[in-house]
Tab-separated table of all heavy atoms in Angstrom:
chain	number	residue	atom	x	y	z
A	1	ASN	N	-29.674	-14.983	21.646
A	1	ASN	CA	-28.507	-14.254	21.146
A	1	ASN	C	-27.324	-15.156	20.801
A	1	ASN	O	-26.231	-14.657	20.592
A	1	ASN	CB	-28.038	-13.237	22.195
A	1	ASN	CG	-29.112	-12.265	22.566
A	1	ASN	OD1	-29.456	-11.395	21.798
A	1	ASN	ND2	-29.681	-12.433	23.754
A	2	GLU	N	-27.511	-16.465	20.772
A	2	GLU	CA	-26.374	-17.369	20.625
A	2	GLU	C	-25.644	-17.213	19.306
A	2	GLU	O	-26.265	-16.793	18.317
A	2	GLU	CB	-26.818	-18.821	20.837
A	2	GLU	CG	-27.761	-19.386	19.836
A	2	GLU	CD	-28.236	-20.779	20.240
A	2	GLU	OE1	-28.161	-21.161	21.422
A	2	GLU	OE2	-28.677	-21.485	19.344
A	3	PRO	N	-24.363	-17.531	19.315
A	3	PRO	CA	-23.535	-17.916	20.460
A	3	PRO	C	-23.099	-16.683	21.256
A	3	PRO	O	-22.992	-15.593	20.709
A	3	PRO	CB	-22.341	-18.598	19.804
A	3	PRO	CG	-22.194	-17.927	18.484
A	3	PRO	CD	-23.592	-17.563	18.058
A	4	MET	N	-22.849	-16.895	22.542
A	4	MET	CA	-22.471	-15.803	23.439
A	4	MET	C	-21.340	-16.226	24.359
A	4	MET	O	-21.249	-17.386	24.732
A	4	MET	CB	-23.661	-15.387	24.301
A	4	MET	CG	-24.791	-14.764	23.523
A	4	MET	SD	-25.913	-13.897	24.609
A	4	MET	CE	-24.960	-12.470	25.060
A	5	THR	N	-20.529	-15.253	24.757
A	5	THR	CA	-19.475	-15.507	25.741
A	5	THR	C	-20.038	-15.263	27.139
A	5	THR	O	-21.070	-14.604	27.297
A	5	THR	CB	-18.275	-14.563	25.528
A	5	THR	OG1	-18.684	-13.223	25.800
A	5	THR	CG2	-17.695	-14.689	24.124
A	6	ARG	N	-19.342	-15.770	28.136
A	6	ARG	CA	-19.779	-15.541	29.510
A	6	ARG	C	-19.767	-14.049	29.828
A	6	ARG	O	-20.658	-13.543	30.509
A	6	ARG	CB	-18.890	-16.298	30.494
A	6	ARG	CG	-19.489	-16.292	31.896
A	6	ARG	CD	-18.595	-16.927	32.889
A	6	ARG	NE	-17.663	-15.901	33.329
A	6	ARG	CZ	-16.511	-16.136	33.895
A	6	ARG	NH1	-16.097	-17.349	34.080
A	6	ARG	NH2	-15.728	-15.151	34.264
A	7	GLY	N	-18.782	-13.331	29.323
A	7	GLY	CA	-18.711	-11.885	29.557
A	7	GLY	C	-19.921	-11.163	29.001
A	7	GLY	O	-20.449	-10.239	29.633
A	8	GLN	N	-20.367	-11.556	27.810
A	8	GLN	CA	-21.550	-10.932	27.216
A	8	GLN	C	-22.796	-11.237	28.051
A	8	GLN	O	-23.653	-10.371	28.244
A	8	GLN	CB	-21.741	-11.427	25.782
A	8	GLN	CG	-20.673	-10.954	24.824
A	8	GLN	CD	-20.739	-11.658	23.479
A	8	GLN	OE1	-21.000	-12.863	23.397
A	8	GLN	NE2	-20.484	-10.897	22.425
A	9	ILE	N	-22.885	-12.466	28.532
A	9	ILE	CA	-24.024	-12.858	29.371
A	9	ILE	C	-24.011	-12.057	30.670
A	9	ILE	O	-25.033	-11.504	31.087
A	9	ILE	CB	-23.998	-14.375	29.660
A	9	ILE	CG1	-24.152	-15.165	28.356
A	9	ILE	CG2	-25.066	-14.760	30.673
A	9	ILE	CD1	-23.763	-16.627	28.459
A	10	ASP	N	-22.831	-11.968	31.307
A	10	ASP	CA	-22.691	-11.200	32.548
A	10	ASP	C	-23.094	-9.751	32.332
A	10	ASP	O	-23.766	-9.148	33.169
A	10	ASP	CB	-21.248	-11.243	33.056
A	10	ASP	CG	-20.819	-12.607	33.537
A	10	ASP	OD1	-21.665	-13.509	33.664
A	10	ASP	OD2	-19.603	-12.780	33.791
A	11	GLU	N	-22.688	-9.187	31.205
A	11	GLU	CA	-22.995	-7.796	30.908
A	11	GLU	C	-24.505	-7.595	30.765
A	11	GLU	O	-25.070	-6.633	31.284
A	11	GLU	CB	-22.287	-7.374	29.625
A	11	GLU	CG	-22.403	-5.893	29.330
A	11	GLU	CD	-21.596	-5.499	28.110
A	11	GLU	OE1	-20.512	-6.062	27.883
A	11	GLU	OE2	-22.088	-4.620	27.377
A	12	MET	N	-25.171	-8.506	30.094
A	12	MET	CA	-26.628	-8.382	29.921
A	12	MET	C	-27.370	-8.546	31.242
A	12	MET	O	-28.354	-7.853	31.492
A	12	MET	CB	-27.131	-9.401	28.900
A	12	MET	CG	-26.760	-9.043	27.477
A	12	MET	SD	-27.506	-10.150	26.290
A	12	MET	CE	-29.112	-9.394	26.101
A	13	ARG	N	-26.902	-9.478	32.078
A	13	ARG	CA	-27.579	-9.723	33.351
A	13	ARG	C	-27.184	-8.718	34.414
A	13	ARG	O	-27.928	-8.484	35.361
A	13	ARG	CB	-27.245	-11.128	33.875
A	13	ARG	CG	-27.859	-12.237	33.070
A	13	ARG	CD	-27.638	-13.586	33.721
A	13	ARG	NE	-28.388	-13.684	34.965
A	13	ARG	CZ	-27.898	-14.197	36.085
A	13	ARG	NH1	-26.685	-14.667	36.136
A	13	ARG	NH2	-28.643	-14.260	37.169
A	14	GLY	N	-25.965	-8.197	34.317
A	14	GLY	CA	-25.470	-7.280	35.333
A	14	GLY	C	-24.906	-7.980	36.549
A	14	GLY	O	-24.612	-7.340	37.554
A	15	VAL	N	-24.774	-9.303	36.480
A	15	VAL	CA	-24.190	-10.084	37.579
A	15	VAL	C	-23.346	-11.218	37.003
A	15	VAL	O	-23.496	-11.594	35.844
A	15	VAL	CB	-25.266	-10.682	38.518
A	15	VAL	CG1	-26.020	-9.607	39.256
A	15	VAL	CG2	-26.215	-11.585	37.774
A	16	GLU	N	-22.497	-11.773	37.833
A	16	GLU	CA	-21.641	-12.898	37.461
A	16	GLU	C	-22.491	-14.132	37.179
A	16	GLU	O	-23.390	-14.455	37.938
A	16	GLU	CB	-20.669	-13.174	38.619
A	16	GLU	CG	-19.854	-14.410	38.503
A	16	GLU	CD	-18.782	-14.314	37.443
A	16	GLU	OE1	-18.204	-13.237	37.258
A	16	GLU	OE2	-18.534	-15.343	36.803
A	17	SER	N	-22.200	-14.834	36.100
A	17	SER	CA	-23.008	-15.984	35.682
A	17	SER	C	-22.233	-17.299	35.627
A	17	SER	O	-22.775	-18.301	35.162
A	17	SER	CB	-23.614	-15.707	34.296
A	17	SER	OG	-24.372	-14.535	34.313
A	18	ALA	N	-21.000	-17.315	36.090
A	18	ALA	CA	-20.152	-18.507	35.952
A	18	ALA	C	-20.792	-19.742	36.584
A	18	ALA	O	-20.812	-20.816	35.976
A	18	ALA	CB	-18.773	-18.261	36.559
A	19	PHE	N	-21.330	-19.605	37.793
A	19	PHE	CA	-21.924	-20.742	38.484
A	19	PHE	C	-23.132	-21.274	37.717
A	19	PHE	O	-23.295	-22.477	37.536
A	19	PHE	CB	-22.327	-20.340	39.910
A	19	PHE	CG	-23.040	-21.431	40.659
A	19	PHE	CD1	-22.343	-22.528	41.125
A	19	PHE	CD2	-24.411	-21.369	40.875
A	19	PHE	CE1	-22.998	-23.544	41.812
A	19	PHE	CE2	-25.071	-22.376	41.549
A	19	PHE	CZ	-24.357	-23.472	42.023
A	20	VAL	N	-23.970	-20.382	37.238
A	20	VAL	CA	-25.172	-20.778	36.502
A	20	VAL	C	-24.781	-21.466	35.199
A	20	VAL	O	-25.355	-22.501	34.835
A	20	VAL	CB	-26.075	-19.555	36.226
A	20	VAL	CG1	-27.279	-19.940	35.392
A	20	VAL	CG2	-26.526	-18.917	37.537
A	21	ILE	N	-23.797	-20.921	34.513
A	21	ILE	CA	-23.334	-21.532	33.260
A	21	ILE	C	-22.810	-22.940	33.525
A	21	ILE	O	-23.107	-23.873	32.784
A	21	ILE	CB	-22.278	-20.640	32.578
A	21	ILE	CG1	-22.959	-19.388	32.029
A	21	ILE	CG2	-21.541	-21.392	31.474
A	21	ILE	CD1	-22.014	-18.320	31.512
A	22	ARG	N	-22.067	-23.099	34.605
A	22	ARG	CA	-21.549	-24.429	34.974
A	22	ARG	C	-22.687	-25.421	35.186
A	22	ARG	O	-22.631	-26.561	34.723
A	22	ARG	CB	-20.707	-24.299	36.250
A	22	ARG	CG	-19.433	-25.040	36.208
A	22	ARG	CD	-18.510	-24.876	37.402
A	22	ARG	NE	-19.062	-24.493	38.666
A	22	ARG	CZ	-18.885	-23.310	39.240
A	22	ARG	NH1	-18.186	-22.391	38.668
A	22	ARG	NH2	-19.416	-23.046	40.408
A	23	LYS	N	-23.737	-24.994	35.883
A	23	LYS	CA	-24.885	-25.877	36.130
A	23	LYS	C	-25.605	-26.213	34.828
A	23	LYS	O	-26.018	-27.350	34.617
A	23	LYS	CB	-25.858	-25.235	37.127
A	23	LYS	CG	-25.356	-25.294	38.557
A	23	LYS	CD	-26.420	-24.931	39.532
A	23	LYS	CE	-27.314	-26.117	39.719
A	23	LYS	NZ	-28.198	-26.075	40.847
A	24	LEU	N	-25.774	-25.230	33.960
A	24	LEU	CA	-26.459	-25.475	32.685
A	24	LEU	C	-25.641	-26.399	31.792
A	24	LEU	O	-26.207	-27.238	31.079
A	24	LEU	CB	-26.760	-24.151	31.976
A	24	LEU	CG	-27.795	-23.257	32.666
A	24	LEU	CD1	-27.860	-21.884	31.996
A	24	LEU	CD2	-29.164	-23.917	32.687
A	25	LEU	N	-24.324	-26.267	31.839
A	25	LEU	CA	-23.451	-27.191	31.091
A	25	LEU	C	-23.612	-28.609	31.639
A	25	LEU	O	-23.743	-29.567	30.875
A	25	LEU	CB	-21.986	-26.757	31.194
A	25	LEU	CG	-21.558	-25.576	30.330
A	25	LEU	CD1	-20.199	-25.046	30.783
A	25	LEU	CD2	-21.514	-25.962	28.858
A	26	ALA	N	-23.612	-28.736	32.970
A	26	ALA	CA	-23.743	-30.052	33.603
A	26	ALA	C	-25.092	-30.695	33.283
A	26	ALA	O	-25.180	-31.917	33.123
A	26	ALA	CB	-23.564	-29.938	35.125
A	27	LYS	N	-26.128	-29.891	33.163
A	27	LYS	CA	-27.458	-30.407	32.836
A	27	LYS	C	-27.619	-30.662	31.340
A	27	LYS	O	-28.618	-31.208	30.895
A	27	LYS	CB	-28.535	-29.437	33.313
A	27	LYS	CG	-28.682	-29.375	34.821
A	27	LYS	CD	-29.759	-28.388	35.212
A	27	LYS	CE	-29.894	-28.221	36.700
A	27	LYS	NZ	-30.507	-29.332	37.376
A	28	GLY	N	-26.639	-30.223	30.543
A	28	GLY	CA	-26.686	-30.452	29.106
A	28	GLY	C	-27.616	-29.509	28.356
A	28	GLY	O	-27.966	-29.771	27.210
A	29	LEU	N	-28.022	-28.405	28.983
A	29	LEU	CA	-28.930	-27.464	28.326
A	29	LEU	C	-28.188	-26.458	27.442
A	29	LEU	O	-28.775	-25.862	26.545
A	29	LEU	CB	-29.786	-26.740	29.362
A	29	LEU	CG	-30.714	-27.660	30.169
A	29	LEU	CD1	-31.413	-26.884	31.269
A	29	LEU	CD2	-31.730	-28.330	29.259
A	30	ILE	N	-26.899	-26.254	27.724
A	30	ILE	CA	-26.045	-25.439	26.868
A	30	ILE	C	-24.758	-26.203	26.622
A	30	ILE	O	-24.462	-27.173	27.324
A	30	ILE	CB	-25.733	-24.046	27.472
A	30	ILE	CG1	-24.952	-24.170	28.785
A	30	ILE	CG2	-27.007	-23.235	27.647
A	30	ILE	CD1	-24.442	-22.846	29.332
A	31	LYS	N	-24.000	-25.760	25.622
A	31	LYS	CA	-22.713	-26.394	25.326
A	31	LYS	C	-21.753	-25.351	24.798
A	31	LYS	O	-22.163	-24.269	24.361
A	31	LYS	CB	-22.885	-27.514	24.315
A	31	LYS	CG	-23.313	-27.047	22.933
A	31	LYS	CD	-23.459	-28.209	21.989
A	31	LYS	CE	-23.904	-27.730	20.602
A	31	LYS	NZ	-24.088	-28.835	19.681
A	32	GLU	N	-20.472	-25.683	24.866
A	32	GLU	CA	-19.452	-24.831	24.283
A	32	GLU	C	-19.538	-24.997	22.770
A	32	GLU	O	-19.657	-26.113	22.274
A	32	GLU	CB	-18.075	-25.224	24.792
A	32	GLU	CG	-17.900	-24.982	26.272
A	32	GLU	CD	-16.518	-25.366	26.788
A	32	GLU	OE1	-15.623	-25.681	25.968
A	32	GLU	OE2	-16.332	-25.335	28.010
A	33	SER	N	-19.467	-23.872	22.059
A	33	SER	CA	-19.598	-23.954	20.600
A	33	SER	C	-18.431	-23.302	19.878
A	33	SER	O	-18.578	-22.847	18.753
A	33	SER	CB	-20.920	-23.319	20.150
A	33	SER	OG	-20.909	-21.938	20.432
A	34	GLY	N	-17.297	-23.229	20.533
A	34	GLY	CA	-16.117	-22.653	19.911
A	34	GLY	C	-15.554	-21.512	20.728
A	34	GLY	O	-15.911	-21.326	21.884
A	35	LYS	N	-14.676	-20.763	20.085
A	35	LYS	CA	-14.019	-19.619	20.738
A	35	LYS	C	-14.339	-18.352	19.969
A	35	LYS	O	-14.408	-18.355	18.743
A	35	LYS	CB	-12.496	-19.817	20.746
A	35	LYS	CG	-12.036	-21.060	21.480
A	35	LYS	CD	-11.802	-20.759	22.906
A	35	LYS	CE	-11.178	-21.978	23.590
A	35	LYS	NZ	-10.809	-21.693	24.929
A	36	SER	N	-14.508	-17.272	20.687
A	36	SER	CA	-14.777	-15.973	20.088
A	36	SER	C	-13.493	-15.402	19.503
A	36	SER	O	-12.397	-15.754	19.923
A	36	SER	CB	-15.325	-15.029	21.161
A	36	SER	OG	-15.373	-13.705	20.690
A	37	GLU	N	-13.640	-14.488	18.573
A	37	GLU	CA	-12.491	-13.778	18.003
A	37	GLU	C	-12.096	-12.591	18.879
A	37	GLU	O	-11.115	-11.915	18.595
A	37	GLU	CB	-12.822	-13.301	16.579
A	37	GLU	CG	-12.997	-14.438	15.595
A	37	GLU	CD	-11.750	-15.298	15.446
A	37	GLU	OE1	-10.628	-14.756	15.383
A	37	GLU	OE2	-11.911	-16.539	15.420
A	38	MET	N	-12.830	-12.357	19.953
A	38	MET	CA	-12.537	-11.252	20.861
A	38	MET	C	-11.201	-11.502	21.542
A	38	MET	O	-10.736	-12.645	21.594
A	38	MET	CB	-13.647	-11.133	21.917
A	38	MET	CG	-15.000	-10.771	21.337
A	38	MET	SD	-16.385	-10.974	22.489
A	38	MET	CE	-15.824	-10.152	23.946
A	39	PRO	N	-10.569	-10.453	22.083
A	39	PRO	CA	-9.304	-10.651	22.798
A	39	PRO	C	-9.458	-11.696	23.898
A	39	PRO	O	-10.447	-11.714	24.624
A	39	PRO	CB	-9.012	-9.263	23.389
A	39	PRO	CG	-9.732	-8.316	22.486
A	39	PRO	CD	-10.962	-9.046	22.023
A	40	GLY	N	-8.493	-12.578	23.985
A	40	GLY	CA	-8.540	-13.655	24.970
A	40	GLY	C	-9.272	-14.878	24.471
A	40	GLY	O	-9.254	-15.916	25.104
A	41	HIS	N	-9.946	-14.762	23.363
A	41	HIS	CA	-10.697	-15.856	22.746
A	41	HIS	C	-11.571	-16.605	23.749
A	41	HIS	O	-11.417	-17.798	23.976
A	41	HIS	CB	-9.744	-16.825	22.030
A	41	HIS	CG	-8.940	-16.161	20.968
A	41	HIS	ND1	-9.479	-15.743	19.779
A	41	HIS	CD2	-7.630	-15.810	20.931
A	41	HIS	CE1	-8.539	-15.177	19.038
A	41	HIS	NE2	-7.401	-15.194	19.719
């Protein structure tokens, strides 16, 4: 579904994903690809 925001990921999983996203960023498996046009960007 990329690109996706953390909120969208949390909504699909039904649980908080911040820790997992941090680990995946550290492992280099995902990366930031910009800012969404949604409120709060």
Side-chain angles (χ1 to χ4, degrees):
N1 302 288
E2 65 186 20
M4 294 196 72
T5 66
R6 191 185 85 200
Q8 292 169 321
I9 297 164
D10 292 350
E11 187 176 324
M12 287 186 84
R13 290 187 68 223
V15 294
E16 171 72 36
S17 303
F19 176 73
V20 177
I21 289 171
R22 224 176 24 251
K23 284 192 79 166
L24 292 171
L25 283 166
K27 290 180 183 287
L29 297 174
I30 63 172
K31 66 180 179 182
E32 294 180 8
S33 65
K35 300 270 187 174
S36 169
E37 293 300 318
M38 296 167 49
H41 301 288

